[in-house]
Amino acid sequence: MGALKDKFGYRTALVTGASSGLGLAFARMLRDEGVEVWGASRQPEAVAKAENWHPVPLDLTSPDSLLKAIAQVRREAGTPDLLINNAGSGVFAGFAHFPPEEIQRQIQLLLTGPMEITRAFWPEMLARKRGAVVNVSSLAAEFPLPAMSLYTAAKAGLSGFSRGLMLESAGSGVQVVDLQPGDFKTNFNHAVQKSAGGEAWEERAWARFEELLEHSPLPAQAAQDLRRALLRGQSGTVTTGDFFQAKLGPLAQRIFGHGLTRRVLRKYFRL
């Protein structure tokens, strides 16, 4: 039995986007802690069978799928002790030629969907004075990504949502974590829908994304950072990633402000 189960009595968890990347690392960490995991994704069965957790079919962009997934978890686990809203993907395109149909889809996938899942279980967490909600935002909430303005906006909204919940739940016994990852060695870039307009700055930015991914840490680091945050038992924002992105960058922004940060980002992404 692990510390999360011993110290907080966490026995059940719902992790969205659990079939790959950070979500898979989070689910494995919780399983190894002795927590019973419900892993949600579009096609969860094969990974769930291999990893020994419960599969939950979920497409956050489908209202019917969302309702069915919530109903399944309620039926099988009640209100989970831990909710990790992790599922998501991005669209790479300058906003001048951003696909119009993707605007609402990105907001639903990255912001509205996690809100709806949280709303389904939040009242019971507050009533029993125990539980944790982890919203996996992004360092993009603080450091905008070129050609991913919708992703940036949605993740900033998710961080704002988390901070609002922190205020509402102060003293309740429910922990809220705004987890902001930087780049990790996952298949995120491969899953990104590219609709670039062929402009030179877009090509330079994408090449920089690929370079950063190649030298980024493994997802297990994010899982251990999340574990430490949960063990602290306190609500707050947690950054995770390499030292420059997760530590030095946020410190520099607090000291020098947004104007200088934007200039640095233009150089960082070779715009």
Side-chain angles (χ1 to χ4, degrees):
M1 187 180 296
L4 288 174
K5 195 169 183 179
D6 286 341
K7 185 175 181 180
F8 296 101
Y10 292 156
R11 293 178 172 81
T12 58
L14 170 60
V15 182
T16 70
S19 291
S20 63
L22 295 184
L24 180 59
F26 298 149
R28 284 173 170 168
M29 178 272 290
L30 293 173
R31 179 204 59 199
D32 293 345
E33 285 282 312
V35 178
E36 192 172 1
V37 173
W38 275 258
S41 65
R42 286 188 176 90
Q43 296 179 320
E45 290 79 8
V47 172
K49 184 177 181 180
E51 299 288 345
N52 194 29
W53 58 62
H54 304 277
V56 181
L58 172 63
D59 178 354
L60 282 173
T61 65
S62 165
D64 183 61
S65 176
L66 188 59
L67 290 173
K68 287 181 178 178
I70 291 170
Q72 177 189 339
V73 175
R74 282 190 183 282
R75 185 171 62 251
E76 297 176 2
T79 292
D81 298 315
L82 287 163
L83 168 61
I84 301 182
N85 285 310
N86 166 79
S89 62
V91 175
F92 181 87
F95 197 62
H97 44 265
F98 195 92
E101 68 278 5
E102 286 295 330
I103 293 176
Q104 287 301 321
R105 185 178 180 279
Q106 282 277 278
I107 297 299
Q108 174 63 34
L109 175 64
L110 299 170
L111 180 59
T112 309
M115 286 178 168
E116 291 174 321
I117 294 178
T118 302
R119 178 61 181 81
F121 301 116
W122 182 251
E124 177 59 25
M125 286 187 176
L126 292 176
R128 70 188 183 194
K129 303 183 185 300
R130 181 173 58 84
V133 174
V134 178
N135 287 321
V136 182
S137 176
S138 169
L139 282 171
E142 305 296 336
F143 302 98
L145 299 177
M148 295 190 72
S149 55
L150 258 294
Y151 182 87
T152 294
K155 289 299 190 180
L158 189 60
S159 286
F161 173 59
S162 298
R163 290 193 290 269
L165 293 184
M166 292 176 202
L167 291 175
E168 294 182 23
S169 60
S172 70
V174 178
Q175 182 183 8
V176 179
V177 176
D178 170 29
L179 185 67
Q180 296 186 354
D183 292 304
F184 280 89
K185 199 178 292 292
T186 70
N187 64 352
F188 180 84
N189 281 15
H190 300 296
V192 165
Q193 176 183 330
K194 292 182 67 177
S195 298
E199 297 187 37
W201 70 266
E202 291 176 318
E203 296 301 322
R204 292 195 301 272
W206 183 256
R208 181 61 170 149
F209 286 168
E210 294 279 67
E211 179 183 314
L212 292 169
L213 183 68
E214 180 66 24
H215 300 287
S216 59
L218 295 172
Q221 176 183 320
Q224 288 307 308
D225 286 343
L226 175 57
R227 179 180 181 274
R228 283 189 287 270
L230 290 171
L231 286 173
R232 286 195 291 271
Q234 298 176 345
S235 294
T237 296
V238 176
T239 59
T240 179
D242 69 25
F243 179 77
F244 178 82
Q245 291 185 348
K247 305 300 180 187
L248 189 59
L251 176 63
Q253 178 163 279
R254 288 195 295 271
I255 295 173
F256 298 112
H258 292 282
L260 180 59
T261 298
R262 283 194 296 273
R263 290 196 291 274
V264 171
L265 286 173
R266 288 187 61 82
K267 291 183 177 295
Y268 186 70
F269 289 112
R270 300 167 182 162
L271 302 181

